[in-house]
Coordinates of all heavy atoms in Angstrom, one line a residue:
T215 N 2.9 0.5 -11.1 CA 4.0 1.1 -11.9 C 5.3 1.0 -11.0 O 5.3 1.5 -9.9 CB 3.7 2.6 -12.2 OG1 2.5 2.6 -13.1 CG2 4.9 3.2 -13.0
I216 N 6.3 0.5 -11.6 CA 7.6 0.4 -10.8 C 8.6 1.4 -11.4 O 8.8 1.4 -12.6 CB 8.2 -1.0 -10.9 CG1 7.2 -2.1 -10.3 CG2 9.5 -1.1 -10.2 CD1 7.6 -3.5 -10.6
V217 N 9.2 2.2 -10.5 CA 10.2 3.2 -10.9 C 11.5 2.7 -10.3 O 11.6 2.6 -9.1 CB 9.8 4.6 -10.4 CG1 11.0 5.5 -10.5 CG2 8.6 5.1 -11.2
E218 N 12.5 2.5 -11.2 CA 13.8 2.1 -10.7 C 14.9 3.1 -11.2 O 14.8 3.4 -12.4 CB 14.1 0.7 -11.1 CG 15.5 0.2 -11.1 CD 16.2 0.3 -9.7 OE1 15.5 -0.1 -8.7 OE2 17.3 0.8 -9.6
M219 N 15.7 3.6 -10.4 CA 16.6 4.6 -10.8 C 17.8 4.1 -11.6 O 18.4 4.9 -12.4 CB 17.1 5.5 -9.7 CG 18.2 4.9 -8.8 SD 18.7 6.1 -7.5 CE 19.9 5.1 -6.7
T220 N 18.2 2.8 -11.5 CA 19.3 2.3 -12.3 C 18.7 1.7 -13.6 O 17.5 1.8 -13.9 CB 20.0 1.2 -11.5 OG1 19.2 0.1 -11.4 CG2 20.5 1.7 -10.2
A221 N 19.6 1.2 -14.4 CA 19.2 0.7 -15.7 C 18.5 -0.6 -15.7 O 18.0 -1.1 -16.8 CB 20.5 0.6 -16.6
G222 N 18.4 -1.3 -14.6 CA 17.7 -2.6 -14.6 C 17.2 -2.9 -13.2 O 17.6 -2.4 -12.2
L223 N 16.2 -3.9 -13.2 CA 15.7 -4.3 -11.9 C 16.7 -5.1 -11.2 O 17.7 -5.7 -11.8 CB 14.4 -5.2 -12.2 CG 13.3 -4.5 -12.9 CD1 12.2 -5.6 -13.2 CD2 12.7 -3.4 -12.1
L224 N 16.6 -5.2 -9.9 CA 17.6 -6.0 -9.1 C 19.0 -5.7 -9.4 O 19.7 -6.7 -9.9 CB 17.2 -7.5 -9.2 CG 15.9 -7.9 -8.5 CD1 15.6 -9.4 -8.9 CD2 16.0 -7.8 -7.0
P225 N 19.5 -4.5 -9.3 CA 20.9 -4.2 -9.7 C 21.8 -5.2 -8.9 O 21.6 -5.4 -7.8 CB 21.1 -2.8 -9.2 CG 19.8 -2.2 -8.7 CD 18.8 -3.3 -8.8
G226 N 22.8 -5.6 -9.6 CA 23.8 -6.5 -9.0 C 23.5 -8.0 -9.4 O 24.4 -8.8 -9.5
A227 N 22.3 -8.4 -9.6 CA 22.0 -9.7 -10.0 C 22.3 -9.9 -11.5 O 22.2 -9.0 -12.2 CB 20.5 -10.1 -9.7
D228 N 22.6 -11.2 -11.9 CA 22.9 -11.4 -13.3 C 21.7 -11.1 -14.2 O 20.6 -11.5 -13.9 CB 23.3 -12.9 -13.5 CG 24.8 -13.1 -13.0 OD1 25.5 -12.1 -12.7 OD2 25.2 -14.3 -12.9
R229 N 22.1 -10.4 -15.3 CA 21.0 -10.0 -16.2 C 20.2 -11.1 -16.8 O 19.0 -11.0 -17.1 CB 21.6 -9.1 -17.3 CG 22.1 -7.7 -16.8 CD 21.0 -6.9 -16.1 NE 21.1 -7.1 -14.7 CZ 20.2 -6.6 -13.8 NH1 19.1 -5.9 -14.2 NH2 20.3 -6.8 -12.5
D230 N 20.9 -12.2 -17.2 CA 20.1 -13.3 -17.8 C 19.0 -13.9 -16.9 O 18.0 -14.3 -17.4 CB 21.1 -14.4 -18.4 CG 22.0 -14.9 -17.3 OD1 22.1 -14.4 -16.2 OD2 22.8 -15.9 -17.6
L231 N 19.3 -13.8 -15.6 CA 18.3 -14.3 -14.6 C 17.2 -13.3 -14.5 O 16.0 -13.6 -14.6 CB 18.9 -14.5 -13.3 CG 20.1 -15.5 -13.2 CD1 20.6 -15.6 -11.7 CD2 19.7 -16.9 -13.6
V232 N 17.6 -12.0 -14.4 CA 16.6 -10.9 -14.2 C 15.7 -10.8 -15.4 O 14.5 -10.5 -15.3 CB 17.3 -9.6 -13.9 CG1 16.3 -8.4 -13.8 CG2 18.1 -9.7 -12.6
D233 N 16.3 -11.0 -16.6 CA 15.5 -10.9 -17.9 C 14.3 -11.8 -17.9 O 13.2 -11.4 -18.3 CB 16.4 -11.2 -19.1 CG 17.4 -10.1 -19.4 OD1 17.2 -9.0 -18.8 OD2 18.3 -10.4 -20.2
V234 N 14.4 -13.0 -17.3 CA 13.3 -13.9 -17.3 C 12.2 -13.4 -16.4 O 11.0 -13.4 -16.8 CB 13.8 -15.3 -16.8 CG1 12.6 -16.3 -16.7 CG2 14.9 -15.9 -17.7
L235 N 12.6 -12.8 -15.2 CA 11.6 -12.2 -14.3 C 11.0 -11.0 -15.0 O 9.8 -10.7 -14.9 CB 12.2 -11.9 -13.0 CG 11.4 -11.1 -12.0 CD1 10.1 -11.9 -11.6 CD2 12.2 -10.8 -10.8
A236 N 11.8 -10.2 -15.6 CA 11.4 -8.9 -16.1 C 10.3 -9.1 -17.2 O 9.3 -8.4 -17.3 CB 12.6 -8.1 -16.7
K237 N 10.4 -10.2 -18.0 CA 9.4 -10.5 -19.0 C 8.1 -10.8 -18.3 O 7.1 -10.3 -18.8 CB 9.9 -11.8 -19.7 CG 10.4 -11.5 -21.1 CD 10.5 -12.8 -21.9 CE 11.7 -12.7 -22.8 NZ 12.4 -13.9 -23.1
R238 N 8.1 -11.5 -17.2 CA 6.9 -11.8 -16.5 C 6.3 -10.5 -15.9 O 5.1 -10.2 -16.0 CB 7.2 -12.8 -15.4 CG 6.1 -13.1 -14.5 CD 5.0 -14.0 -15.2 NE 4.2 -14.6 -14.2 CZ 3.9 -15.9 -14.1 NH1 4.4 -16.7 -15.0 NH2 3.1 -16.4 -13.2
I239 N 7.2 -9.7 -15.3 CA 6.7 -8.4 -14.7 C 6.1 -7.5 -15.8 O 5.1 -6.8 -15.5 CB 7.8 -7.7 -13.9 CG1 8.2 -8.6 -12.7 CG2 7.4 -6.3 -13.5 CD1 9.3 -8.1 -11.9
A240 N 6.6 -7.5 -17.0 CA 6.1 -6.7 -18.0 C 4.6 -7.0 -18.3 O 3.9 -6.2 -18.7 CB 6.9 -6.9 -19.3
Q241 N 4.3 -8.3 -18.0 CA 2.9 -8.7 -18.2 C 2.0 -8.3 -17.0 O 0.8 -8.1 -17.2 CB 2.8 -10.2 -18.5 CG 3.4 -10.7 -19.7 CD 3.6 -12.2 -19.7 OE1 3.2 -12.9 -18.8 NE2 4.4 -12.7 -20.7
T242 N 2.5 -8.3 -15.8 CA 1.7 -8.2 -14.6 C 1.6 -6.7 -14.2 O 0.7 -6.3 -13.5 CB 2.2 -9.1 -13.5 OG1 3.6 -8.8 -13.3 CG2 1.9 -10.5 -13.8
A243 N 2.7 -5.9 -14.4 CA 2.7 -4.6 -14.0 C 2.2 -3.7 -15.1 O 2.3 -4.0 -16.3 CB 4.1 -4.1 -13.6
K244 N 1.7 -2.5 -14.7 CA 1.2 -1.6 -15.7 C 2.4 -1.0 -16.5 O 2.4 -0.9 -17.7 CB 0.5 -0.4 -15.1 CG -0.1 0.6 -16.1 CD -1.0 1.5 -15.4 CE -1.5 2.6 -16.3 NZ -0.7 3.9 -16.1
A245 N 3.5 -0.7 -15.8 CA 4.7 -0.1 -16.4 C 5.9 -0.4 -15.5 O 5.8 -0.4 -14.3 CB 4.5 1.4 -16.7
V246 N 7.1 -0.5 -16.1 CA 8.3 -0.5 -15.4 C 9.2 0.6 -16.0 O 9.5 0.5 -17.2 CB 9.0 -1.9 -15.5 CG1 10.4 -1.9 -14.8 CG2 8.2 -3.0 -15.0
L247 N 9.5 1.6 -15.2 CA 10.3 2.7 -15.7 C 11.7 2.6 -15.1 O 11.9 2.8 -13.9 CB 9.6 4.0 -15.3 CG 8.1 4.1 -15.7 CD1 7.5 5.4 -15.1 CD2 8.0 4.1 -17.2
L248 N 12.7 2.3 -16.0 CA 14.1 2.2 -15.6 C 14.7 3.6 -15.8 O 14.2 4.4 -16.4 CB 14.8 1.1 -16.4 CG 14.1 -0.3 -16.3 CD1 14.8 -1.3 -17.2 CD2 14.2 -0.8 -14.8
N249 N 15.9 3.7 -15.2 CA 16.6 5.0 -15.3 C 15.7 6.2 -14.9 O 15.8 7.2 -15.5 CB 17.2 5.2 -16.7 CG 18.2 4.2 -17.1 OD1 19.2 4.0 -16.3 ND2 18.0 3.5 -18.2
T250 N 14.9 6.0 -14.0 CA 13.9 7.0 -13.7 C 13.9 7.3 -12.2 O 14.1 6.4 -11.3 CB 12.5 6.5 -14.1 OG1 12.5 6.1 -15.4 CG2 11.4 7.5 -13.8
K251 N 13.7 8.6 -11.9 CA 13.6 9.0 -10.5 C 12.3 9.8 -10.2 O 11.8 10.4 -11.2 CB 14.8 9.9 -10.1 CG 16.1 9.2 -9.9 CD 17.2 10.1 -9.4 CE 17.2 10.1 -7.9 NZ 18.4 10.8 -7.4
V252 N 11.9 9.7 -9.0 CA 10.7 10.5 -8.6 C 11.3 11.9 -8.1 O 12.0 11.9 -7.1 CB 9.9 9.8 -7.6 CG1 8.7 10.7 -7.1 CG2 9.4 8.5 -8.1
A253 N 11.0 12.9 -8.8 CA 11.5 14.2 -8.4 C 10.7 14.8 -7.2 O 11.3 15.2 -6.2 CB 11.5 15.2 -9.5

Side-chain angles (χ1 to χ4, degrees):
T215 297
I216 300 168
V217 164
E218 164 59 44
M219 78 178 179
T220 68
L223 300 173
L224 291 170
D228 282 351
R229 290 303 95 187
D230 50 357
L231 303 179
V232 176
D233 286 348
V234 177
L235 173 64
K237 254 190 212 153
R238 175 75 165 229
I239 291 177
Q241 293 163 9
T242 52
K244 179 170 176 259
V246 176
L247 305 174
L248 302 175
N249 294 309
T250 304
K251 282 188 91 168
V252 177

